[in-house]
Amino acid sequence: MALPSSGAISLNEMHVEIGGSSGSEVSINDSDIRGLIGKTASTNMSFSEWYGASNTPVGVNFIGRDATATSSFPNGTHTFSSGNKIIVIAVISQQTTSSTPISTVSVGGASLTKAVDLKSIDSGNRGGNVAIFYKETTASGSLAVTGAGFGTGAGPSEFQAFELTNFISSTPAITVSTHNVSSPATSHGITFNGQDSNGAIIVAGRSYLGTNSVNQSATIRTDAQSSGSSSFTVSKTGIPSGNVTYTVTNDNSVGSVGSNYNGLFVMVGAQWR
């Protein structure tokens, strides 16, 4: 049960929320109390920062995906649940010099907000373009997912759709992006700094041709594309507080620049609480 969203709030209520006994000894600087809102030790804090905080993990539900081998956005229709939620659309595309970052995504005709995006290519003009879009909504049922903005040189492309529930804020607490164009390798990590306890992360990424796996007991959905690269998302709920690196590893060795095995990873991520 979440803490009050307004009015009076007590340290005892915070302690009960994290599983402590009512009336027992507690300090606002205890790690589990700070973990509710992702605070580090001995920082300035206000009781109002705990409004709405919950010890229940943010829920992550995978809805589905659509893909295309062309430079167009892979429009599709998916069924979303009833009730309030955050719809998250992770967009992943193979890219070249002439292609542009994805600009817009809509669900059921309503525009989503871009949380983070990144385009990176190697000197042989092969790379990835990835982005995460989101919107808090009560829209449900069969909804069209559409987008625009790749320009020429894109494809194959796909999106993966998710729903988040039990969140405190619809705005991501953290967004991150990374690539390894200067140091191709069989694996690459994306680090979330100072995560809130019991939050959830979603990562969108593109790597070279092969099958990808991930550490941290996270869930990865990877799709190999025969034209030379593979797309993936990583998701995890109930994440710990503190810095955590999610490392994606490809099962193929690294080849030459501009090839199907160029060793380039392009990744973006967002974390909600």
Side-chain angles (χ1 to χ4, degrees), residues 92-95 127-130 155-158 204-208 212 223 225 227-232 264-267:
I92 311 115
S93 178
Q94 179 177 295
Q95 297 287 280
N129 185 355
V130 292
S157 305
E158 79 165 85
R206 193 88 184 171
S207 69
Y208 61 105
N212 302 294
D223 299 298
Q225 304 285 353
S227 60
S229 57
S230 60
S231 57
F232 60 86
L264 174 60
F265 287 81
V266 185
M267 305 162 70

Side-chain angles (χ1 to χ4, degrees), residues 179-189 206-209 212 247-255 261-266:
H179 64 81
N180 66 332
V181 69
S182 61
S183 55
T186 57
S187 65
H188 190 62
R206 193 88 184 171
S207 69
Y208 61 105
L209 188 61
N212 302 294
T247 300
V248 177
T249 301
N250 194 284
D251 64 355
N252 276 323
S253 57
V254 176
Y261 305 96
N262 68 345
L264 174 60
F265 287 81
V266 185

Side-chain angles (χ1 to χ4, degrees), residues 168-233:
I168 294 173
S169 172
S170 62
T171 302
I174 300 168
T175 59
V176 288
S177 61
T178 181
H179 64 81
N180 66 332
V181 69
S182 61
S183 55
T186 57
S187 65
H188 190 62
I190 187 166
T191 300
F192 289 79
N193 296 306
Q195 302 173 85
D196 288 353
S197 174
N198 279 323
I201 60 126
I202 292 177
V203 173
R206 193 88 184 171
S207 69
Y208 61 105
L209 188 61
T211 300
N212 302 294
S213 59
V214 69
N215 65 344
Q216 304 293 356
S217 299
T219 299
I220 189 165
R221 295 176 175 85
T222 179
D223 299 298
Q225 304 285 353
S226 59
S227 60
S229 57
S230 60
S231 57
F232 60 86
T233 63

Side-chain angles (χ1 to χ4, degrees), residues 34-68:
R34 290 186 284 103
L36 279 171
I37 59 171
K39 287 286 188 177
T40 57
S42 302
T43 58
N44 292 327
M45 295 176 284
S46 169
F47 271 43
S48 62
E49 295 181 73
W50 275 266
Y51 280 149
S54 171
N55 199 40
T56 303
V58 177
V60 179
N61 182 33
F62 174 68
I63 299 299
R65 62 177 288 273
D66 275 287
T68 177

Side-chain angles (χ1 to χ4, degrees), residues 1 10 31 39 51 79 109 111 118 130 151 160 163 185 214 224 257 268:
M1 181 176 173
S10 69
S31 60
K39 287 286 188 177
Y51 280 149
T79 301
S111 296
L118 179 66
V130 292
Q160 295 188 22
E163 290 180 347
V214 69
V257 170
V268 297

